[in-house]
Amino acid sequence: MTVRKNQAGLSADEKRRFVAAVLELKRSGRYDAFVTTHNAFILGDTDNGERTGHRSPSFLPWHRRFLLEFERALQSVDASVTLPYWDWSTDRSPRSSLWAPDFLGGTGRSRDGQVTDGPFAASAGNWPITVRVDGRTFLRRQLGANVRELPTRAEVDSVLSTATYDMPPWNSASDGFRNHLEGWRGVNLHNRVHVWVGGQMATGVSPNDPVFWLHHAYIDKLWAEWQRRNPRSGYLPTGGTPNVVDLGETMKPWNDVRPADLLDHTAFYTFDTD
Amino acid sequence: MPELSRRRALGTAAVLTAAAAAHTLSAPAASAAPAASHHDSPEPFDEVYKGRRIQGRPASGPMHHHHGDGFEVLVDAVPLHVMRNADGSWISVVSHYAPVPTPRAAARAAVDELQGAVLLPFPAN
């Protein structure tokens, strides 16, 4: 059974195996297909039109399935690997072990944002940025430069206490848990973390930075925590909503899975805290 | 299904307003729609910012090539994918998680982010 663990508690061997599996997906070309898919949805999801991956109720189940696909790809390389999560409300410093050279590497240099240490640094030769929106082919980060603070635990708690899953108009203007977690309204959790990391993480091709998966694994965990706190609240909307994925409708690009199929994470994995 | 038809009506109004912006037609029916205030076309701009030419103007290409509600932004003549949020704020593909008030601000944020790098044209989707 897959157990997703806090990245802060991974052993040296677990870090090494995770990194090796990610690098192998990159080498084989499978990694970049995930970046391409994400950017296609980023460009295509609009507040007044069809929206599936972002700015909509299906933001959470869409990313849950997207991460499952990625985790299965990792496990096809090394069956012992699972996705770790990054609790950025606790590990909130550029000096956290997450950013050490034996794991993701650190922030970028000031001149051009280039990450210069760790397994994903351009200088290591294993991490060309090929799915990109500009001419730069190296991984970039500016930890804490574009927004000073990551969300605090108190801010996380304030969002988890929102009892309604999502609300009309089911987009970036919505009140409710989903949009406050996504960050288009309120204290801003998910979006702010993308901005805090900077570099490719702040763009539509954000999965170019492997921290994307650890960030979203924690967002996904917060959905599970919200369900536990609000047992009588369910996914909304439940039917008949144009441009929006209702509870029982299938989601692109897979077309074989509905939000209803993804509500219970324990069908796929558990967390180290479950 | 009153909710459904109202939603469709608003969607149609948005499309009409965007089309009016793109072709500078007058569209009194669209401008009278409730959502019209969120869909007024932004001011065109054309300036050199940090040594790079940024432009914003009503879009000339097919509507499905952009999501700026009929408005397009260019950096050194390369289209920058921009999107208008429901609250009227803007984002671009190089600064996707940080809304700014206007398309000009999105263009400037893109120039800041690019640090001199060339923008690549985005694929039509």
Side-chain angles (χ1 to χ4, degrees):
Chain A
M1 185 62 184
T2 294
V3 180
R4 293 192 180 169
K5 302 176 182 175
N6 189 321
Q7 61 78 27
L10 294 185
S11 70
D13 187 56
E14 286 170 325
K15 290 180 186 180
R16 190 182 57 74
R17 285 173 171 271
F18 175 79
V19 166
V22 171
L23 290 176
E24 172 55 21
L25 291 184
K26 183 69 167 182
R27 191 200 60 76
S28 69
R30 296 170 74 188
Y31 192 95
D32 286 339
F34 287 93
V35 187
T36 298
T37 295
H38 187 267
N39 194 44
F41 278 82
I42 278 277
L43 297 183
D45 296 323
T46 60
D47 275 339
N48 295 311
E50 188 175 311
R51 47 198 186 274
T52 302
H54 306 87
R55 58 181 68 236
S56 60
S58 47
F59 167 71
L60 290 170
W62 191 91
H63 281 85
R64 176 164 285 177
R65 173 62 184 254
F66 191 55
L67 264 63
L68 276 167
E69 297 278 329
F70 183 70
E71 187 170 52
R72 287 165 182 162
L74 290 174
Q75 291 174 345
S76 74
V77 175
D78 181 340
S80 77
V81 172
T82 69
L83 280 185
Y85 60 87
W86 168 34
D87 174 357
W88 27 253
S89 73
T90 300
D91 295 305
R92 38 190 303 105
S93 163
R95 292 172 299 282
S96 297
S97 61
L98 173 66
W99 308 112
D102 69 338
F103 201 16
L104 301 191
T107 194
R109 64 189 181 193
S110 58
R111 175 160 62 84
D112 59 3
Q114 183 171 161
V115 171
T116 58
D117 69 349
F120 307 102
S123 54
N126 295 318
W127 201 253
I129 305 297
T130 51
V131 181
R132 59 188 195 269
V133 294
D134 60 60
R136 293 168 290 183
T137 58
F138 50 87
L139 180 65
R140 293 176 293 114
R141 292 183 189 128
Q142 292 182 292
L143 304 183
N146 298 317
V147 58
R148 256 169 60 91
E149 299 291 340
L150 288 163
T152 64
R153 186 65 216 185
E155 288 171 328
V156 169
D157 283 336
S158 73
V159 171
L160 293 180
S161 68
T162 307
T164 305
Y165 178 77
D166 206 346
M167 297 170 71
W170 318 109
N171 62 19
S172 74
S174 289
D175 208 343
F177 167 68
R178 185 277 309 168
N179 197 38
H180 281 79
L181 178 61
E182 189 170 359
W184 300 110
R185 281 190 65 170
V187 297
N188 185 356
L189 302 183
H190 155 268
N191 282 353
R192 197 200 322 177
V193 175
H194 277 276
V195 175
W196 186 89
V197 174
Q200 280 89 1
M201 259 295 269
T203 76
V205 290
S206 46
N208 273 310
D209 192 327
V211 81
F212 174 91
W213 309 103
L214 284 74
H215 173 36
H216 271 280
Y218 186 58
I219 293 294
D220 182 80
K221 184 172 189 291
L222 291 178
W223 183 22
E225 288 183 27
W226 176 85
Q227 289 173 309
R228 190 166 295 170
R229 280 203 205 189
N230 302 274
R232 285 182 298 280
S233 300
Y235 180 93
L236 295 171
T238 55
T241 319
N243 291 323
V244 170
V245 182
D246 296 310
L247 178 64
E249 285 188 312
T250 57
M251 282 189 297
K252 294 177 180 176
W254 309 288
N255 299 317
D256 64 354
V257 65
R258 312 164 300 163
D261 303 321
L262 293 164
L263 303 181
D264 177 12
H265 71 280
T266 64
F268 311 102
Y269 50 85
T270 58
F271 294 104
D272 52 2
T273 54
D274 280 346
Chain B
M1 306 281 278
E3 176 64 17
L4 191 67
S5 42
R6 189 185 66 86
R7 204 181 296 282
R8 286 208 172 129
L10 286 174
T12 305
V15 170
L16 282 174
T17 310
H23 304 295
T24 56
L25 301 171
S26 64
S31 60
S37 61
H38 278 192
H39 293 272
D40 295 337
S41 192
E43 286 294 308
F45 60 89
D46 188 342
E47 68 179 22
V48 174
Y49 174 75
K50 293 189 177 176
R52 307 186 69 169
R53 187 176 186 190
I54 55 173
Q55 297 163 277
R57 63 193 184 198
S60 52
M63 287 299 293
H64 63 274
H65 280 191
H66 52 80
H67 297 107
D69 279 357
F71 197 80
E72 68 181 4
V73 172
L74 303 101
V75 177
D76 292 338
V78 178
L80 171 70
H81 189 281
V82 295
M83 188 182 292
R84 187 178 220 168
N85 293 322
D87 67 357
S89 62
W90 292 75
I91 53 176
S92 84
V93 71
V94 300
S95 186
H96 191 84
Y97 304 92
V100 292
T102 63
R104 185 196 299 251
R108 289 177 171 176
V111 168
D112 292 342
E113 209 284 329
L114 287 166
Q115 294 185 288
V118 296
L119 188 66
L120 299 183
F122 56 90
N125 61 329

